[in-house]
Amino acid sequence: MNIILLGPPGAGKGTQAKRLEQERGMVQLSTGDMLRAAVKAGTPTGIQAKAVMDAGELVSDAIVSGIIGERLDMEDTLKGAIFDGYPRTAAQAESLDTLLSERGRQLDFVIELEVNEDALVERVEGRFTCANCGEGYHDKFKLPKVEGTCDVCGHHEFKRRPDDNAETVRTRMAEYRAKTAPILPFYEAKGLVRKVDGMADIAEVGAQIDAILDGKA
Ligand code: AP5
Ligand code: MG
Ligand code: ZN
């Protein structure tokens, strides 16, 4: 099964993708995470992407579709891909169709996380992740069970993203409204879109997604 998680910054795409990875053995394909890894490694792609990401704008379609294509050639993605933060433009949606059909694969669902933008700034500003395994947390909504210790791997260091400040989040939301939300009709026409209430708590959002994947919603 291959699915897209679609929603603005802080909607919960990464949170739900990581859970599906742990519970269903699917593979999270987050272009944001891949770009951040490229920035950290100082690759040519990373050097080009850094300023764009820090400004909250979109990296070029050619770069992100290129990295998704390379990733889809790795065999683990045959277990099922969760596209998180990709596609984000009409051109990327077209590219994804081509990348999948070239490999004899197809999309099963596009899950839209419906959220109230006003609540998202708080979510994004409170977010932090384990510096070792990437598990996501939140100052208010999802603290580690033992303070200062990652629930998943036991690591003690955490990090925050440079683009997680109120001003950049506003730009990221504007980009979502202008360029990403308009791709929904493309998938609606294919009958692939399912909506979940992204304002519910994390477990409830997960339950709604599971019901869709299990054919019960
Ligand atoms: P990316 O990394 O994709 O960021 P984003 O889309 O802005 O989304 P986020 O990661 O901020 O949100 P999320 O939905 O994953 O939320 P999360 O689950 O963490 O992209 C970053 C940048 O890279 C872009 O701005 C762009 O420059 C570039 N880029 C990436 N992909 C690209 C592409 N395809 N094309 C061009 N450029 C691209 O949740 C947020 C917080 O809320 C967490 O702390 C979590 O614990 C908490 N939370 C989650 N769910 C709930 C809930 N239901 N209730 C309460 N709290 C919750
Ligand atoms: Mg994310
Ligand atoms: Zn960890």
Side-chain angles (χ1 to χ4, degrees), residues 8-15 31-32 35-36 53 57-59 64 85-86 88 92 123 127 137-138 141 161 163 172 198 200-202 205:
K13 305 180 295 290
T15 301
T31 41
L35 290 167
R36 280 184 287 279
M53 294 173 75
E57 290 161 7
L58 294 186
V59 174
V64 291
Y86 179 91
R88 262 177 150 91
Q92 292 178 26
R123 279 199 195 172
R127 168 170 54 191
Y137 296 96
H138 192 278
F141 305 123
R161 280 170 41 181
D163 59 344
R172 285 157 56 197
D201 66 37
I202 294 175
V205 176

Side-chain angles (χ1 to χ4, degrees), residues 21-39:
E21 218 174 36
Q22 285 157 12
E23 293 178 7
R24 294 185 182 240
M26 297 171 76
V27 181
Q28 176 192 18
L29 303 189
S30 159
T31 41
D33 287 350
M34 293 175 203
L35 290 167
R36 280 184 287 279
V39 169

Side-chain angles (χ1 to χ4, degrees), residues 120-175:
L120 298 185
V121 176
E122 185 187 17
R123 279 199 195 172
V124 169
E125 283 193 307
R127 168 170 54 191
F128 60 99
T129 55
C130 170
N132 180 49
C133 75
E135 179 69 6
Y137 296 96
H138 192 278
D139 292 327
K140 201 160 139 189
F141 305 123
K142 190 189 166 197
L143 283 163
K145 292 190 179 77
V146 177
E147 198 188 329
T149 305
C150 176
D151 296 349
V152 175
C153 75
H155 196 77
H156 298 296
E157 279 165 289
F158 298 88
K159 58 183 182 183
R160 291 180 190 258
R161 280 170 41 181
D163 59 344
D164 278 353
N165 58 76
E167 194 199 329
T168 310
V169 172
R170 296 281 178 204
T171 307
R172 285 157 56 197
M173 280 175 185
E175 290 282 75

Side-chain angles (χ1 to χ4, degrees), residues 73-126:
D73 285 332
M74 296 180 195
E75 214 169 284
D76 62 334
T77 60
L78 288 166
K79 294 187 290 186
I82 309 155
F83 296 98
D84 161 5
Y86 179 91
R88 262 177 150 91
T89 63
Q92 292 178 26
E94 301 272 2
S95 295
L96 179 59
D97 265 8
T98 308
L99 290 169
L100 288 171
S101 64
E102 281 170 353
R103 290 163 179 77
R105 301 186 219 172
Q106 62 180 37
L107 275 175
D108 294 281
F109 297 110
V110 176
I111 299 180
E112 183 191 2
L113 298 163
E114 288 190 300
V115 284
N116 164 3
E117 276 196 15
D118 294 334
L120 298 185
V121 176
E122 185 187 17
R123 279 199 195 172
V124 169
E125 283 193 307

